Amino acid sequence: MAQGPSAISHAKAKLDEKLVRESADIGVTVVRASRRQEGSVFDVVVGDVVILKTGEAVPAGGVFLKGHGLQVDESTITFDLSPVCIDAEINPFLTSGVTVVAGHGTMVVTAVGTNTTWGELINTEKNADEPAPLRERLDVLTSTIGKIGVAVTVVTFTVRHFTGGTGKLALLDKGILLPLAVSLMVTFYMMQMAKDNLHNMSAFETMASVTAICADKTGTLTLNQMVVTEFWVGTDQPRAATSIAGSVINLLRQGAGLNTTGSVYWPDNALPPEMLGSPTEKALLSWAMAYLDMDAATFKTTGRVLYVEAFDHAKIKDRTTGAVIAHWKGTAEVVLPKCSMYVDMQGNTHEIGVEQIKKLDKIINDMAARGLQCIAFAYKQIADEKPTLLGLVGLKDRCRSDVKATIEACANAGVAVKMLTGNGFLAARAVATECGVISSNDPDNLLIEGRKFHTMPWAKQLEIVDKVRVIFGTRPVDKRLLVKLLKHKGQVVAVTASGSGTNDALAHMDADVVLSMSVKGTDVTKDTIILDDKFHTVVTAIRRGRCAYNYLQRFIQFHLTVNVVAILVNFVSTITTGHTPLTTALIMWVNLVMGTMSALAVAADKPAEALMGRPPINRTAPLISSTMMLNLAAQAAFQTAVVLALQYRGRDIFGTDDKANGIMIFNMFVLCQLFNEFNFRDIEKKNVFAGVLEKKGMMFLILVALTLVLQALTVEVLTRFAGTKRLGLGLWGVCLVIAAV
């Protein structure tokens, strides 16, 4: 028994160590063998050249080589929130653990692992192992049981002392073996749900109380896999690239193939090319190769990139003509206002007038209404004053197949899903409708722009926050504000970590639990649940969190019944007769066998799906509900009456001697607990046998049968070892019939 908790603690520590290592396994892009390669941060060595992009963490210590507009967030090291500019002359040094917030570039690695500043901080950090909330409440309950037992013992001893009585007193321990039994139950249950990669028990418990989930659109509700589905040149939509002038095609190739931070690599002629870069960059490169017939391998040699601003503009020198051309690429709402001209499919330029603006706005809005992200290409000769619009492309990021059903299940469970996106109103509404975040059945369906929401008075924010379903044009400060408002109103909030590059660290710190689509790059030292790239795991996490709470309540009801009956029987019997029918040894045996076996039976018996039809569990709700108290009172009264009846009249009724009567009391007490296991299968329902013969209830029956066999062996076979006496079939039949009542 002493080794049980140690083994359980060791197993949990091994799981934590595995998850922490997996969370640190971040993908990086390095230059090796004269080409870009994607690999693990654990494979980075001194001398590697690492590609740095916006939103990514710097994987090692190093020196800046080249790049454009590189800025990093060093707040994790210096606690200064201001971005730091990196350049080759003034500040070329980069530290492991900082995040790139703007620009892009390359660095040569000079230090890895514990030789970096971040590695030294991790080595010296001491994390306190905080107990889970339910475990803290359980410890209080265990302590209370122990105190009540000691108090009853003291009162009994005092009464017997002043009345001249004698007799040994059975001292009840603090809920004997309760911590071990609960640890066994939790470990058995954790083994069942290990495939969900739950990090720690507190996150597991918190999901039972979650009332709101703040979900990022990109990477969480959608796959973050962009595909170009629509293309326009000026105000015309070409049927094929052959209908477009060659000069326009060449400019579009430059805009997609040279004004990019992505790259293309062919392992060999037999395999498809590998795309490196952000999902948007990869989609545009794929489209340029397939639709514009761009040869990515040779096209890079046709121009020299003089300057690149990530997903904004670049200056490119055409090696054929020697002309320097500035290219723009970005969201249409940003690029279009900069343009004064546009080109048609024949390569002719036209002024963008009022009518053209209306047509272009309609094209952009129609794309947004269908959930497409509209990207605009533009260019400018050095002599020109303003850019000329080249074309518009619509990119589709498909919703996950399980999102709509998951959001519906969350709504049925009383959990509201709120979508946050950087898209505009039309695109946000289209995606939210497709995913099921907003529906015609919801009377609220409030969509609001992030800046507008942020500038509202506090009272107004509190008034509408429950009705908000979508925040579009979201910034990190808006996401944090939403979390703080919801928590201020008493809600339990989960936020998603999609890995899309947005700095949501502050929102994650304020949230009660973090839901991540992947363990890689996730801070699992927080209350985190890994969804393994399946959003439906949210429902599984909620269900299992509620099940854990339900399991603990059921076990507490059982455990309290055992101890309340033991206290009442021994108290009354000691006061009236001076003898305790339930000795300390017997109570220890009951708790050891019945406690551990019942704990396993609870964890093995899956509760009904009805738990997902109930509202979230209030975090301050008492562990012992009113229904549990009624069940406890009824069972305790019945069992106490039966045991005391045997104590006073058992010898006369059944014609047994003192030892046989004592063993019959012990057997009756154990069998009452055995049949009481059926009562706590469902605290709320009267039909406690529902589903017991189904597949999910077979393990419960097996454990009950095993307990019965063990009790029979103790009474009938191990008489010398256990100090028992055989009862025979007749007395066994009486015990079984009465206990089954």
Side-chain angles (χ1 to χ4, degrees):
M1 285 189 295
Q3 297 300 319
S6 297
I8 293 166
S9 178
H10 178 70
K12 181 182 182 297
K14 293 291 286 183
L15 175 61
D16 290 352
E17 182 182 347
K18 176 186 175 184
L19 277 173
V20 169
R21 180 172 176 82
E22 289 181 5
S23 71
D25 187 8
I26 303 170
V28 296
T29 304
V30 298
V31 178
R32 291 175 182 163
S34 300
R35 73 175 183 88
R36 292 187 180 188
Q37 303 178 30
E38 289 189 345
S40 168
V41 67
F42 296 132
D43 298 329
V44 174
V45 296
V46 173
D48 273 341
V49 174
V50 177
I51 309 297
L52 303 174
K53 291 171 285 187
T54 302
E56 294 184 349
V58 177
V63 178
F64 176 78
L65 291 178
K66 62 179 181 178
H68 302 287
L70 188 66
Q71 295 182 355
V72 297
D73 176 10
E74 295 184 347
S75 59
T76 54
I77 305 292
T78 64
F79 300 100
D80 184 1
L81 296 177
S82 303
V84 178
C85 296
I86 304 295
D87 56 57
E89 296 180 359
I90 300 176
N91 185 25
F93 300 106
L94 289 150
T95 305
S96 173
V98 304
T99 303
V100 179
V101 295
H104 62 93
T106 59
M107 61 169 270
V108 61
V109 176
T110 59
V112 296
T114 55
N115 294 323
T116 65
T117 304
W118 183 250
E120 292 175 1
L121 287 174
I122 295 297
N123 253 1
T124 57
E125 188 180 79
K126 302 294 182 183
N127 291 324
D129 189 12
E130 298 182 359
L134 270 181
R135 178 54 63 91
E136 287 184 312
R137 294 162 71 183
L138 189 61
D139 289 342
V140 173
L141 180 62
T142 302
S143 177
T144 303
I145 294 173
K147 291 175 182 177
I148 292 174
V150 171
V152 172
T153 302
V154 171
V155 170
T156 305
F157 177 83
T158 303
V159 172
R160 293 301 298 162
H161 175 75
F162 286 105
T163 57
T166 60
K168 298 180 180 180
L169 301 176
L171 182 64
L172 285 177
D173 193 12
K174 294 182 181 181
I176 304 168
L177 300 177
L178 177 61
L180 175 60
V182 171
S183 295
L184 284 172
M185 179 180 68
V186 170
T187 302
F188 187 84
Y189 190 67
M190 290 284 282
M191 288 171 59
Q192 288 184 321
M193 48 82 60
K195 60 184 178 182
D196 291 332
N197 282 335
L198 179 69
H199 170 60
N200 53 35
M201 194 62 189
S202 58
F204 186 36
E205 297 162 3
T206 304
M207 285 305 294
S209 303
V210 163
T211 57
I213 298 174
C214 301
D216 296 304
K217 185 210 78 171
T218 304
T220 301
L221 302 181
T222 64
L223 293 169
N224 200 18
Q225 296 174 1
M226 299 288 192
V227 178
V228 175
T229 60
E230 196 166 319
F231 171 50
W232 293 75
V233 176
T235 57
D236 299 319
Q237 188 172 20
R239 294 185 178 180
T242 53
S243 61
I244 306 173
S247 59
V248 178
I249 291 290
N250 188 60
L251 287 169
L252 286 168
R253 288 172 179 170
Q254 287 183 355
L258 296 180
N259 181 18
T260 180
T261 56
S263 63
V264 184
Y265 170 72
W266 278 267
D268 55 57
N269 294 331
L271 296 175
E274 295 178 4
M275 301 287 179
L276 300 178
S278 69
T280 302
E281 295 284 17
K282 289 192 287 187
L284 293 175
L285 284 171
S286 298
W287 167 76
M289 293 169 60
Y291 188 84
L292 302 178
D293 197 25
M294 182 185 75
D295 186 350
T298 60
F299 190 73
K300 286 280 187 180
T301 64
T302 63
R304 183 164 67 92
V305 178
L306 303 179
Y307 177 83
V308 175
E309 186 72 32
F311 218 79
D312 188 350
H313 71 280
K315 289 182 180 179
I316 299 167
K317 184 175 182 179
D318 193 313
R319 295 185 187 275
T320 304
T321 64
V324 176
I325 304 173
H327 279 272
W328 275 261
K329 178 181 66 179
T331 56
E333 293 86 352
V334 174
V335 175
L336 183 58
K338 298 178 181 179
C339 301
S340 60
M341 309 285 286
Y342 74 95
V343 298
D344 58 22
M345 291 195 296
Q346 287 72 41
N348 302 316
T349 58
H350 305 274
E351 185 178 352
I352 299 179
V354 176
E355 290 301 319
Q356 286 73 27
I357 285 289
K358 289 181 179 179
K359 289 181 180 179
L360 291 170
D361 284 342
K362 185 178 186 305
I363 293 170
I364 295 169
N365 291 335
D366 286 346
M367 287 190 191
R370 287 178 278 120
L372 301 183
Q373 180 183 358
C374 187
I375 301 296
F377 290 97
Y379 78 101
K380 182 174 79 72
Q381 303 286 352
I382 295 299
D384 297 338
E385 292 185 5
K386 290 188 175 182
T388 298
L389 181 67
L390 270 173
L392 303 170
V393 294
L395 292 91
K396 177 70 174 178
D397 187 8
R398 291 184 294 110
C399 292
R400 295 179 182 272
S401 59
D402 59 352
V403 162
K404 195 161 189 176
T406 300
I407 292 176
E408 184 178 349
C410 287
N412 293 336
V415 180
V417 177
K418 303 178 185 294
M419 187 183 89
L420 299 103
T421 175
N423 295 140
F425 170 75
L426 293 175
R429 184 179 63 181
V431 175
T433 303
E434 183 180 354
C435 292
V437 176
I438 58 176
S439 66
S440 56
N441 299 327
D442 190 345
D444 297 328
N445 282 343
L446 180 59
L447 290 81
I448 190 168
E449 197 261 337
R451 292 182 183 274
K452 180 180 178 181
F453 181 63
H454 199 271
T455 55
M456 281 183 174
W458 176 259
K460 184 64 175 179
Q461 290 171 339
L462 288 175
E463 179 185 340
I464 70 169
V465 67
D466 290 332
K467 300 178 181 179
V468 171
R469 293 293 176 265
V470 178
I471 299 182
F472 58 91
T474 308
R475 303 163 298 166
V477 291
D478 302 323
K479 186 172 184 178
R480 187 189 189 192
L481 174 63
L482 178 63
V483 172
K484 293 179 72 172
L485 287 167
L486 290 169
K487 292 190 68 176
H488 184 79
K489 296 198 71 173
Q491 297 206 39
V492 180
V493 185
V495 300
T496 62
S498 63
S500 59
T502 305
N503 183 12
D504 290 331
L506 294 176
H508 293 172
M509 290 172 62
D510 290 333
D512 296 289
V513 64
V514 177
L515 304 172
S516 177
M517 298 308 293
S518 172
V519 71
K520 292 187 178 182
T522 300
D523 184 3
V524 295
T525 60
K526 295 179 171 50
D527 287 352
T528 305
I529 291 178
I530 311 301
L531 304 184
D532 286 347
D533 208 34
K534 298 181 181 65
F535 192 63
H536 185 70
T537 312
V538 169
V539 176
T540 304
I542 294 172
R543 180 187 297 112
R544 287 188 166 163
R546 294 184 181 186
C547 289
Y549 190 89
N550 180 263
Y551 285 171
L552 193 56
Q553 281 190 314
R554 289 156 59 189
F555 180 73
I556 288 172
Q557 178 178 308
F558 172 82
H559 184 80
L560 285 178
T561 302
V562 173
N563 283 277
V564 167
V565 172
I567 289 173
L568 290 175
V569 168
N570 281 351
F571 177 75
V572 174
S573 182
T574 303
I575 294 296
T576 56
T577 67
H579 299 286
T580 55
L582 300 176
T583 64
T584 301
L586 290 179
I587 296 174
M588 282 286 291
W589 193 94
V590 169
N591 277 277
L592 175 62
V593 176
M594 297 302 301
T596 54
M597 295 299 287
S598 63
L600 293 176
V602 166
D605 185 32
K606 297 180 181 179
E609 291 291 326
L611 288 174
M612 288 301 292
R614 300 173 186 173
I617 297 168
N618 193 318
R619 297 185 81 170
T620 59
L623 278 175
I624 305 175
S625 65
S626 57
T627 304
M628 291 172 64
M629 290 296 293
L630 290 174
N631 295 340
L632 171 62
Q635 272 294 321
F638 171 75
Q639 292 185 27
T640 301
V642 169
V643 173
L644 288 177
L646 287 176
Q647 169 72 1
Y648 295 130
R649 304 295 299 168
R651 303 173 190 82
D652 299 333
I653 296 174
F654 301 107
T656 58
D657 56 23
D658 288 344
K659 185 172 184 178
N661 190 63
I663 299 303
M664 190 174 180
I665 290 174
F666 162 64
N667 198 44
M668 181 70 74
F669 182 63
V670 171
L671 292 180
C672 281
Q673 312 318 319
L674 184 68
F675 285 103
N676 192 29
E677 290 185 15
F678 287 90
N679 291 325
F680 68 71
R681 290 190 70 241
D682 196 316
I683 295 175
E684 304 291 337
K685 292 184 178 180
K686 295 181 179 180
N687 183 12
V688 296
F689 298 103
V692 74
L693 296 178
E694 297 177 4
K695 184 178 180 180
K696 65 179 183 180
M698 291 308 296
M699 182 58 71
F700 173 82
L701 288 179
I702 291 172
L703 288 169
V704 170
L706 184 61
T707 307
L708 181 60
V709 170
L710 188 59
Q711 174 66 12
L713 289 174
T714 303
V715 174
E716 299 296 326
V717 179
L718 303 176
T719 54
R720 182 176 299 181
F721 174 78
T724 56
K725 183 177 182 179
R726 294 181 177 177
L727 296 179
L729 291 177
L731 293 180
W732 264 95
V734 171
C735 290
L736 286 169
V737 170
I738 296 176
V741 173

